[in-house]
Amino acid sequence: MHRLLLFFVLATASPAGAAVPEVALPERWVHGAPGEASLQVHEAAPGLWILRQSKASNFEAPFLYLLAGDRRALLLDSGAEPAGDGEAAGSELPLRATVDRLLGEWQRKHRLDALPLVVAHSHGHRDHVHGDAQFRDRADTRIVGTQPQQVAAFFGLDRWPEGEARFDLGGRALTVLPLPGHEPAHIAIYDAQTASLFSGDSLYPGLLTVRDWPAYRASAARLASFAQRHRVERVLGAHIEMSARPGQLYPLGSAYQPDEHALALDASSLALWQQTCAELGDFLHEEVRDEFVLARIPQPGEFADQPNTHGMLVAGTDVVYLSHLPMFHRPHDYQLIFEAGLPDQALQRYRADAKSHPGEYYTLAPSEQWVLPDTIRPDGHFKADLYRGHFERGGTPILTGVEVKVDRIVHFRRFEAGRTPDPRQWIAFGRGREHFLAHRLEGAPDRDQVVQVTAAHGEGERVFVEAGATAGSGELKAGDRIGGALVERALYTEYGDLAR
Ligand SMILES: [Zn+2]
Ligand SMILES: [Zn+2]
């Protein structure tokens, strides 16, 4: 077992000089090592305990927060179902006993006659409410329901999802904010005393799954605005799924995370999270950042798109990338670049043809109609015909009925109304010997352009948006320099489809 002797201090005094109690977080949490306690208890500051359920108990390994004032206490979340050994007895999380002990000590220390407890939830997902049952028979205890109306009514959030409510523990005023999107009843809680923001499953170092993107985006904007108006020293979420390596998630369901990311994020992470949400537009596929990954959970009937034929530009012969040929109207209003898998034989034909026709470009015309975000997803596939040249403009068919596999999505975004084009924005992709830049489209009138460049963007496969030095329309030609790279050739340049 880890002895958790190493601490680092995250806050001392505010810039304004107002003292904030020191908050100490352990360097390591229980993370699935053999022999660990099923529930780690850590006193982070007076009246703030952080409990972590171990990975061995449940792979979700959620963090629970217990806060106490001199009038009442709040338990935020009650944990996930512990892995049972079949015999239910003894496999229950020792949460109730732990909370009773901690609050008993607090009560004695502060000579409090009574200390009612409120059990509330960051949101109603199973891994955050399972332990509620342990508190049903506890005296002086209120368990808040998990429906948005129940949460709103309990805290007095009468403008849900707008507004905020004060929740006073007695000498410790908390602020409660609606934060729907991951789940409809999600909230954030701010503890001014320790300048800590509890963000549940909406923001933590891990895979942030989003069910309702518009709601989530609006929530992120409200929370970021709150953080600008208040001192936020740390953002404490409900899980850790990121490793210490930037952008690297542990595989879903990992029961052992020896090198996990720190629990606390800071105000700048929160600002980046909000900025990412804002920049993505009104459609989310999956977006990787150093400290978190945003991912959409598809909802039935989420898209009003009609099935259609989605033509693609083909870039690359080593790795085959497909870039959707977009327009600014439905259902073609997506910029999409992904790595595609072709059957060996088809790939050989394509490579041979490309080799004997240097300077030509290739397009793909799907043989069937489908809804773009429904088909283009991990493990998605479709049948298509390959053309030398543009399939709608006199191109030459090379292959028909090829089974195309979606291997990896590089960039997937829907255009959002009211955006102005920015000629300097580029998306870099490619690996090995072939590297490309695609102009990042925003709004009409814009230009769809994909150019092949020498490998100088230096970020491997990673997609980034870079400001080129080009002025005017920003159109690139062979021989131009951009971001330290040389343009070898313009593969495809289209204005007409993006004019309006
Ligand atoms: Zn959740
Ligand atoms: Zn969760």
Side-chain angles (χ1 to χ4, degrees):
M1 187 197 293
H2 289 278
R3 310 234 94 218
L4 309 171
L5 290 173
L6 294 165
F7 295 89
F8 56 98
V9 173
L10 288 171
T12 48
S14 78
V20 162
E22 286 185 357
V23 172
L25 299 177
E27 192 172 82
R28 298 174 84 85
W29 298 95
V30 290
H31 56 266
E36 281 177 353
S38 60
L39 189 69
Q40 177 180 352
V41 180
H42 174 75
E43 185 177 2
L48 168 60
W49 297 270
I50 305 179
L51 315 179
R52 192 194 200 182
Q53 190 171 350
S54 89
K55 280 263 161 191
S57 168
N58 185 306
F59 76 87
E60 297 278 8
F63 288 85
L64 288 54
Y65 298 94
L66 180 64
L67 293 123
D70 53 31
R71 257 195 10 244
R72 56 184 167 178
L74 171 77
L75 175 65
L76 184 63
D77 291 351
S78 62
E81 187 170 7
D85 46 9
E87 281 99 279
S91 69
E92 200 50 84
L93 194 65
L95 178 63
R96 164 75 187 272
T98 303
V99 169
D100 285 356
R101 174 174 64 79
L102 296 172
L103 294 185
E105 287 166 12
W106 179 260
Q107 228 178 309
R108 277 192 298 280
K109 190 173 164 193
H110 296 272
R111 298 163 199 272
L112 307 172
D113 293 336
L115 192 66
L117 172 67
V118 169
V119 178
H121 313 94
S122 62
H123 63 297
H125 283 158
R126 290 178 51 145
D127 52 321
H128 303 268
V129 304
H130 180 80
D132 281 12
Q134 298 179 30
F135 295 89
R136 294 250 153 75
D137 64 351
R138 192 181 188 275
D140 236 0
T141 299
R142 170 92 189 255
I143 301 173
V144 182
T146 54
Q147 294 305 307
Q149 310 86 287
Q150 295 171 308
V151 175
F154 180 82
F155 289 110
L157 290 160
D158 46 13
R159 293 193 297 128
W160 185 280
E162 304 286 330
E164 55 192 62
R166 192 182 149 95
F167 188 68
D168 203 337
L169 301 181
R172 179 173 216 140
L174 306 178
T175 308
V176 185
L177 299 100
L179 207 66
H182 169 76
E183 191 263 10
H186 203 297
I187 53 170
I189 290 188
Y190 176 67
D191 175 32
Q193 194 171 108
T194 61
S196 302
L197 184 61
F198 304 97
S199 52
D201 275 7
S202 294
L203 175 59
Y204 62 85
L207 182 68
L208 309 177
T209 55
V210 180
R211 199 171 76 157
D212 180 341
W213 176 242
Y216 185 90
R217 240 183 137 193
S219 289
R222 287 192 311 271
L223 195 63
S225 141
F226 177 88
Q228 275 167 8
R229 289 177 278 117
H230 297 81
R231 181 171 173 203
V232 174
E233 286 295 333
R234 69 198 60 78
V235 179
L236 299 168
H239 301 275
I240 300 174
E241 289 152 4
M242 225 74 201
S243 82
R245 286 179 53 201
Q248 292 288 314
L249 281 170
Y250 279 103
L252 196 69
S254 288
Y256 179 54
Q257 297 188 164
D259 187 30
E260 63 185 12
H261 193 284
L263 167 66
L265 298 176
D266 62 14
S268 68
S269 314
L270 184 135
L272 175 67
W273 168 69
Q274 190 274 324
Q275 190 194 333
T276 306
C277 291
E279 280 173 1
L280 280 173
D282 66 358
F283 170 79
L284 166 70
H285 167 66
E286 186 178 292
E287 207 54 31
V288 180
R289 293 291 179 272
D290 286 356
E291 294 185 306
F292 55 83
V293 177
L294 282 163
R296 175 174 63 95
I297 300 181
Q299 301 300 308
E302 184 181 2
F303 301 102
D305 293 357
Q306 293 301 310
N308 210 299
T309 306
H310 295 287
M312 315 268 173
L313 173 74
V314 186
T317 50
D318 288 352
V319 178
V320 175
Y321 292 93
L322 298 180
S323 175
H324 172 239
L325 300 174
M327 288 182 258
F328 286 117
H329 56 78
R330 290 252 172 129
H332 298 290
D333 50 345
Y334 294 87
Q335 184 155 24
L336 160 67
I337 300 165
F338 64 102
E339 234 181 88
L342 304 183
D344 270 353
Q345 237 187 335
L347 190 60
Q348 298 318 326
R349 264 304 298 284
Y350 160 58
R351 283 175 176 160
D353 199 87
K355 202 168 179 184
S356 56
H357 297 83
E360 299 261 18
Y361 69 92
Y362 292 77
T363 58
L364 207 68
S367 340
E368 295 138 10
Q369 300 206 332
W370 29 259
V371 173
L372 204 62
D374 288 345
T375 297
I376 309 300
R377 55 191 162 83
D379 303 322
H381 54 89
F382 56 90
K383 278 193 168 18
D385 305 333
L386 178 73
Y387 287 74
R388 186 193 317 123
H390 199 300
F391 67 95
E392 274 176 335
R393 300 171 191 171
T396 310
I398 304 295
L399 291 160
T400 53
V402 182
E403 182 79 17
V404 180
K405 240 172 86 261
V406 179
D407 272 351
R408 199 179 53 86
I409 295 165
V410 171
H411 188 90
F412 201 172
R413 191 167 45 90
R414 183 159 64 191
F415 305 126
E416 197 168 32
R419 301 277 190 131
T420 30
D422 180 351
R424 299 162 308 145
Q425 303 282 312
W426 296 88
I427 300 155
F429 60 101
R431 54 193 161 102
R433 297 178 298 127
E434 297 174 320
H435 294 263
F436 304 91
L437 297 177
H439 170 50
R440 189 185 199 270
L441 290 142
E442 285 286 4
D446 213 329
R447 173 192 76 259
D448 186 16
Q449 188 174 39
V450 177
V451 301
Q452 187 160 0
V453 293
T454 55
H457 52 75
E459 302 229 359
E461 270 202 304
R462 187 167 172 159
V463 177
F464 63 92
V465 178
E466 79 173 19
T470 48
S473 81
E475 183 181 327
L476 292 175
K477 302 175 301 300
D480 284 348
R481 295 212 151 261
I482 178 166
L486 180 70
V487 177
E488 292 174 330
R489 68 176 181 128
L491 234 64
Y492 181 79
T493 307
E494 172 66 27
Y495 286 90
D497 282 352
L498 292 310
R500 47 182 288 267

